Amino acid sequence: MKQLQTRYFAVLFLLALIFLPESVSAKDDWLQVRSKNFNLIGNAGEKDIRKVATKLEQFRESFRLLFTNTNVNSPIPTNVVVFKSSGSYKPFKPKRADGKIDEFIAGYFQPGEDVNYITLSTGGEIADVYGTIFHEYVHFIIDTNFGKSDVPPWFNEGLAEYYQTFEIEDDQKVKLGLPQNGHLELLQQTKLIPLDTFFGINNYSLGQNGNHSRSIFYAQSWALIHYLLQSGRSEALGKFLDLSLRNSPTEKTFQDAFQMNYEQMEKELKKYVAKRSYQYQMVTLKEKLVFDNEMQVSALSEGATNAYLGDLLYHTNRADDAEAYLQKAIAAEPKSSMANTTLGMVKMRQKKYDEAKTYLDRAISEDQRNHRAFYQSAYLLSREDRDEFGYVSAFPSDKSGKMRELLKKAIQINPSFTESYELLAFVNLVNNEELEESIEYLKKALQFQPGNQRYALRIAEIYLRQEKFDEAGKLAGRIAATTDDGEVKARAENLSVQVRRTQENFAQNEKARKDYEEAIANAEKSGGRVVLTRRTFTEEGLSPEAIAKLREQEELVSINRTLKTPEENEQRVLGKIQKIECKGGAVIYTVKTAENETLLLSSKDFQNLELFTFIQSNNVQVGCGENLSNVNSVLYYKTNSSVKPAHKGELTAISFVPEGFRFVDFENETEQVIKESGEIFERDENSSTPNPTEMPDFEAQRRDMMMESLKKAMRVPQSGEKREIGFLKKIECTSKGTFFHLKSATTTYKFRQSSPQSPELKAFTSEMEQVQFGCNLQRVDVPVVFTYKEELKGKDKTNGEIIALEFVPRSFKLEQ
């Protein structure tokens, strides 16, 4: 079963539903078996673990030999956990939406950005154990080579279904495409999807279809692949895939590859599906696939075993469950770099950042070759400055430098770990530094993972920053049209809007520049009065001094417009920090205001302090003992009962501003003009110059765009469904079923769960990272948009069926 992995730019992520784990099973005798391409651990017998290793190696090698142009090597390693029985496997099986173990899962493949996991029990039926694993491993190979969204979904799903029934005899005779009766029965009872519709289904639209429609799609994909391969059209199929990757028109691509049109192929496929017997493909390899002699076997300590089990649980989004195993691992082996790294990641997920730093620092000190620890340390630093959307306006120079140092070390240790490249590019983009180098990093990452749309989207964002509008727009548009990832789709659509708006602004600015130059030329000729219709000021004469003062005035207006708006109960003051003292568990700031008053502000630490800069200096640092008396600052603070009487308030944010800065009251301040002498006068009332208050509020625009992007990514209610916003009060699990209690502004609801797979869960706020769902969960103090089917209260006394829960930022407003 394929599980979804959360990503670091967390505007959109899925939540796993969990319980507490059963007792730790690491006290069994555990072995580690290293084959050529897999790392296996297990409490099964050595012979059984070797069999699993051989089976996986044979599948991988068979795929490589049959698809010679496909690279089956991956920069992401794969760990395999082999359990000796269903009982020992049970605590690590996937869990349903109601938080209960899915007993029917015999094995699953869990992809990850740093490591993949395969889990299975040797006590299950062979077909059940390996079918899903083979299916998902094919997807992994295709995604690694081409990118999921670049390959037609019918090809991706059809080939995975075809290889799902892989069998091998005598280590040499490979059976492929064994009939799947479930698909055949469904297709014989249902009309085929017309091929013009079938080929038009992309990954995103497939995910929006209902279960029955998706089942038909999967069955028809399997049947079409089966027919093409069994009828000797494998070469034509390869040609079709190659043309598809070049973005050729679908219908023309089909005709060029298969030398027939849709109507002709539909007739052939209908005849094939109606058959009563089906052939499978038998391939006899030149040599036997034997790997046993290459395997290395060793005993695994209890500490190492618990470290692997904790890492497995973390990668299946069960951070709280993982912690128990990781703590046991560290208790047994305090210097375990793997256990310390993963526990640091767990603490990060729980938003216990100080603890996370402690574990990650220890992981690095114990193993200077642990690239994951270096990367996660940089990722931890990157989280500190983000808002509720995951947005960050700028990283302080000392922090960005530290992140670059950590990430370049991670790259040096493991050049194939691509997330290091992506995060490094993100840091550079935020601070508008080393953009060309960032593009090269991302292109290198794409060499390891072709088709990774997150990496491609980051390139598009850098193109926009470089004012390469055509490149940015085309790339963002292509990603938005092909991705099946809701977060990536929303970001790509948002970027497309930004590109368009920025192009429009540049066109307007270019016109303003030409008007400006023309006005200067006319003024120099005639000496007359000139009014510039696209600027805040009028100008006479335009001496260098006057122009300089004009620019200063424009900068003053711009900074005032961009400054952080004080929140409720927050005040701001203009001044300079004379000294910073760290004592008594607090940070004390001595400030001299612009009115020459001295006041004391305090904070618990520096981590929650927002920092912004509107000056060019890179030497401004906020820390114990730093002297900032030469730097002009806007300081934000709140007064509360916890602040000492001598202190004015708790410092919350600092914006560094140029000398000569002052606050502008846009409601009461008149516009001004500059005369040749440089003297400033009130604006001519007859001037057509726009008012400064008409200048765009870029921060508000950014938030509006992010909120609009969020709304697009949310589930659209279907016929008969309603949705409201409120809070989740509790999840109640009884012998009669699972019930969700929710409260809107006016009503309290009780909804039943209709199936183990419901409700659909999404989170659009980082506040949900530390929340794990399960039975008896109490109130979650984060707003949630809940979708439901309303019914009159029946025997179970509910208001209907819960369909979806989507957790949103506190500023979100639901529009019906």
Side-chain angles (χ1 to χ4, degrees):
M1 176 178 180
K2 189 175 183 180
Q3 304 291 310
L4 294 176
Q5 180 71 27
T6 56
R7 297 196 181 99
Y8 82 85
F9 195 73
V11 176
L12 170 65
F13 52 91
L14 299 180
L15 301 173
L17 308 185
I18 66 155
F19 281 120
L20 291 175
E22 296 183 5
S23 60
V24 176
S25 58
K27 291 182 180 179
D28 295 332
D29 291 329
W30 283 74
L31 295 175
Q32 183 172 38
V33 177
R34 292 189 179 275
S35 66
K36 185 177 181 180
N37 298 287
F38 299 93
N39 175 43
L40 299 91
I41 70 165
N43 60 355
E46 179 182 338
K47 183 178 179 181
D48 289 333
I49 299 176
R50 283 177 175 271
K51 283 183 178 179
V52 173
T54 296
K55 189 85 170 178
L56 294 173
E57 291 286 3
Q58 287 176 333
F59 178 82
R60 181 183 179 282
E61 184 65 8
S62 297
F63 197 97
R64 185 188 71 81
L65 292 172
L66 295 173
F67 286 84
T68 54
N69 293 328
T70 301
N71 178 20
V72 295
N73 295 317
S74 169
I76 302 173
T78 299
N79 291 334
V80 184
V81 187
V82 184
F83 296 95
K84 66 181 180 180
S85 65
S86 178
S88 63
Y89 184 23
K90 183 178 178 179
F92 303 93
K93 286 186 176 184
K95 294 187 176 182
R96 306 179 316 207
D98 60 2
K100 297 177 182 179
I101 292 290
D102 192 337
E103 296 282 5
F104 297 100
I105 294 295
Y108 66 89
F109 180 97
Q110 170 66 58
E113 292 165 351
D114 56 349
V115 63
N116 302 319
Y117 272 98
I118 293 174
T119 70
L120 67 150
S121 167
T122 56
E125 292 293 329
I126 294 300
D128 293 336
V129 169
Y130 288 102
T132 300
I133 293 171
F134 290 157
H135 180 107
E136 297 300 337
Y137 197 74
V138 170
H139 283 324
F140 172 67
I141 293 173
I142 291 174
D143 295 352
T144 300
N145 278 267
F146 309 111
K148 180 177 181 180
S149 296
D150 289 338
V151 175
W154 70 267
F155 177 91
N156 201 337
E157 293 297 341
L159 196 65
E161 290 286 327
Y162 185 83
Y163 267 83
Q164 181 170 313
T165 57
F166 167 90
E167 289 185 9
I168 187 168
E169 294 179 355
D170 301 326
D171 298 325
Q172 193 170 14
K173 299 176 182 177
V174 175
K175 294 180 181 179
L176 298 172
L178 293 169
Q180 295 202 40
N181 294 329
H183 287 338
L184 291 169
E185 290 175 4
L186 180 61
L187 292 174
Q188 289 169 356
Q189 297 170 7
T190 310
K191 289 185 177 180
L192 294 179
I193 303 171
L195 288 188
D196 56 347
T197 301
F198 182 73
F199 289 131
I201 295 175
N202 58 32
N203 288 292
Y204 185 78
S205 60
L206 178 62
Q208 303 304 304
N209 289 335
N211 290 335
H212 182 67
S213 298
R214 284 200 299 271
S215 296
I216 297 172
F217 180 85
Y218 295 147
Q220 186 166 329
S221 297
W222 169 82
L224 183 55
I225 288 287
H226 201 281
Y227 166 70
L228 292 172
L229 293 177
Q230 292 299 325
S231 61
R233 290 187 171 91
S234 57
E235 186 175 338
L237 184 62
K239 182 178 180 180
F240 176 82
L241 178 61
D242 182 57
L243 292 171
S244 297
L245 292 172
R246 298 179 189 177
N247 296 313
S248 301
T250 304
E251 190 164 1
K252 183 178 185 306
T253 295
F254 186 90
Q255 291 183 358
D256 289 346
F258 298 108
Q259 299 300 304
M260 64 171 65
N261 57 32
Y262 286 170
E263 184 179 356
Q264 292 169 315
M265 179 61 80
E266 279 186 39
K267 289 180 180 178
E268 294 293 323
L269 187 58
K270 286 178 181 178
K271 290 179 184 178
Y272 191 74
V273 169
K275 291 171 57 177
R276 294 298 175 186
S277 62
Y278 296 86
Q279 300 294 319
Y280 60 83
Q281 189 176 7
M282 173 69 85
V283 180
T284 301
L285 303 176
K286 292 182 179 180
E287 298 178 1
K288 287 190 174 187
L289 299 182
V290 180
F291 301 92
D292 199 64
N293 293 334
E294 300 176 358
M295 298 179 192
Q296 299 175 354
V297 182
S298 60
L300 201 64
S301 69
E302 184 177 342
T305 299
N306 278 310
Y308 274 112
L309 294 176
D311 195 61
L312 166 63
L313 289 169
Y314 174 84
H315 282 85
T316 54
N317 296 324
R318 295 169 56 182
D320 287 350
D321 288 352
E323 184 173 2
Y325 292 91
L326 295 166
Q327 292 286 12
K328 286 181 178 290
I330 291 174
E333 299 177 13
K335 294 184 178 181
S336 169
S337 187
M338 176 183 181
N340 278 288
T341 300
T342 309
L343 190 52
M345 294 158 68
V346 167
K347 293 300 180 183
M348 209 185 312
R349 185 77 62 84
Q350 296 170 342
K351 291 192 173 180
K352 298 176 180 178
Y353 297 128
D354 289 341
E355 294 182 50
K357 184 178 186 304
T358 298
Y359 286 113
L360 291 172
D361 286 349
R362 188 184 301 165
I364 290 174
S365 68
E366 296 300 338
D367 183 4
Q368 289 291 309
R369 303 295 299 170
N370 185 342
H371 69 277
R372 281 209 308 167
F374 282 99
Y375 167 79
Q376 292 295 338
S377 293
Y379 177 52
L380 174 61
L381 286 172
S382 76
R383 302 254 342 141
E384 295 175 355
D385 299 281
R386 303 191 186 199
D387 64 12
E388 61 183 345
F389 292 98
Y391 174 82
V392 57
S393 57
F395 291 117
S397 59
D398 59 335
K399 186 176 291 185
S400 63
K402 180 62 176 177
M403 284 188 285
R404 288 193 186 97
E405 178 186 340
L406 290 165
L407 292 168
K408 289 183 178 181
K409 180 66 174 179
I411 291 170
Q412 179 185 357
I413 296 168
N414 186 354
S416 64
F417 180 60
T418 54
E419 286 298 295
S420 296
Y421 298 108
E422 204 281 335
L423 183 54
L424 184 54
F426 173 69
V427 172
N428 289 339
L429 176 62
V430 168
N431 280 18
N432 198 33
E433 298 170 340
E434 302 177 13
L435 298 183
E436 280 299 330
E437 181 184 46
S438 298
I439 290 176
E440 293 305 311
Y441 279 132
L442 291 165
K443 287 181 177 179
K444 187 169 184 178
L446 286 169
Q447 292 175 2
F448 289 107
Q449 290 196 42
N452 186 309
Q453 293 189 309
R454 287 193 300 116
Y455 301 166
L457 184 57
R458 188 71 73 205
I459 291 176
E461 291 169 346
I462 295 175
Y463 281 157
L464 173 59
R465 184 68 57 82
Q466 294 177 320
E467 301 174 14
K468 297 178 180 179
F469 301 124
D470 289 342
E471 294 95 326
K474 289 177 182 177
L475 189 52
R478 182 166 177 264
I479 293 169
T482 58
T483 186
D484 67 331
D485 186 309
E487 177 193 346
V488 172
K489 183 177 181 65
R491 281 177 57 198
E493 290 175 344
N494 182 38
L495 184 61
S496 295
V497 172
Q498 284 183 277
V499 170
R500 185 175 67 252
R501 289 181 179 176
T502 306
Q503 282 182 297
E504 292 171 354
N505 289 338
F506 266 67
Q508 292 173 356
N509 290 340
E510 180 63 17
K511 183 177 184 303
R513 185 187 65 78
K514 291 180 179 178
D515 291 345
Y516 180 76
E517 292 175 350
E518 183 179 348
I520 292 175
N522 292 335
E524 289 176 346
K525 289 179 181 178
S526 62
R529 183 178 179 81
V530 179
V531 177
L532 301 179
T533 59
R534 295 203 55 80
R535 285 187 173 263
T536 308
F537 310 101
T538 59
E539 302 177 8
E540 279 188 22
L542 297 169
S543 67
E545 293 79 8
I547 293 175
K549 187 155 286 191
L550 169 62
R551 289 174 177 170
E552 288 177 6
Q553 191 72 8
E554 288 180 319
E555 182 182 33
L556 176 66
V557 172
S558 175
I559 293 175
N560 269 274
R561 276 294 169 198
T562 312
L563 273 176
K564 175 183 180 296
T565 302
E567 299 176 0
E568 186 178 357
N569 299 325
E570 192 174 48
Q571 301 180 52
R572 69 180 183 181
V573 64
L574 179 62
K576 295 181 179 181
I577 301 174
Q578 302 300 304
K579 62 180 177 178
I580 303 175
E581 301 174 279
C582 300
K583 56 184 180 180
V587 184
I588 312 301
Y589 307 82
T590 302
V591 178
K592 180 166 284 188
T593 70
E595 287 75 28
N596 210 28
E597 296 179 357
T598 299
L599 58 89
L600 297 179
L601 300 173
S602 64
S603 69
K604 295 179 181 179
D605 50 39
F606 298 111
Q607 291 184 351
N608 295 316
L609 197 62
E610 292 186 88
L611 298 176
F612 307 90
T613 184
F614 298 90
I615 60 178
Q616 297 298 317
S617 175
N618 293 323
N619 297 320
V620 178
Q621 298 186 25
V622 178
C624 301
E626 293 290 342
N627 184 354
L628 301 178
S629 58
N630 294 323
V631 184
N632 214 21
S633 304
V634 176
L635 301 108
Y636 297 76
Y637 63 93
K638 292 182 179 180
T639 56
N640 54 57
S641 58
S642 64
V643 176
K644 293 182 179 180
H647 298 172
K648 186 71 173 178
E650 179 184 359
L651 185 66
T652 56
I654 305 173
S655 291
F656 299 112
V657 293
E659 286 296 322
F661 175 84
R662 63 183 174 83
F663 293 126
V664 174
D665 182 352
F666 290 115
E667 293 184 1
N668 300 314
E669 186 156 315
T670 59
E671 294 179 65
Q672 300 169 328
V673 300
I674 297 178
K675 291 194 174 181
E676 182 168 2
S677 63
E679 188 178 0
I680 300 178
F681 295 88
E682 290 188 3
R683 185 179 73 87
D684 184 351
E685 293 182 357
N686 297 320
S687 169
S688 59
T689 305
N691 190 284
T693 57
E694 296 175 2
M695 293 179 62
D697 186 338
F698 295 108
E699 177 65 15
Q701 286 183 2
R702 179 190 68 78
R703 294 185 63 83
D704 288 345
M705 291 180 70
M706 295 187 76
M707 195 64 75
E708 188 63 30
S709 175
L710 182 158
K711 291 176 181 178
K712 288 181 180 179
M714 294 184 73
R715 186 182 188 279
V716 178
Q718 305 299 305
S719 175
E721 296 178 356
K722 295 183 178 181
R723 70 176 180 178
E724 295 187 45
I725 188 169
F727 292 91
L728 175 63
K729 293 180 63 180
K730 67 176 179 179
I731 300 175
E732 178 186 15
C733 299
T734 71
S735 59
K736 296 181 180 179
T738 302
F739 302 94
F740 291 77
H741 297 255
L742 293 119
K743 190 178 189 310
S744 69
T746 58
T747 310
T748 298
Y749 296 94
K750 177 183 178 182
F751 298 112
R752 69 176 178 276
Q753 180 188 43
S754 61
S755 72
Q757 286 70 44
S758 67
E760 179 182 345
L761 291 170
K762 292 181 181 178
F764 298 91
T765 169
S766 60
E767 286 191 78
M768 290 303 296
E769 284 186 341
Q770 73 275 30
V771 178
Q772 294 187 335
F773 279 67
C775 294
N776 305 316
L777 176 72
Q778 297 303 306
R779 176 183 170 92
V780 178
D781 190 29
V782 178
V784 62
V785 174
F786 53 97
T787 304
Y788 61 94
K789 285 186 178 179
E790 187 177 35
E791 299 174 7
L792 295 175
K793 289 190 177 182
K795 293 182 180 180
D796 57 9
K797 298 182 180 180
T798 64
N799 299 94
E801 173 188 341
I802 188 69
I803 304 298
L805 296 171
E806 298 174 288
F807 294 89
V808 293
R810 297 184 183 277
S811 57
F812 180 86
K813 304 295 182 185
L814 180 64
E815 299 173 359
Q816 298 288 357

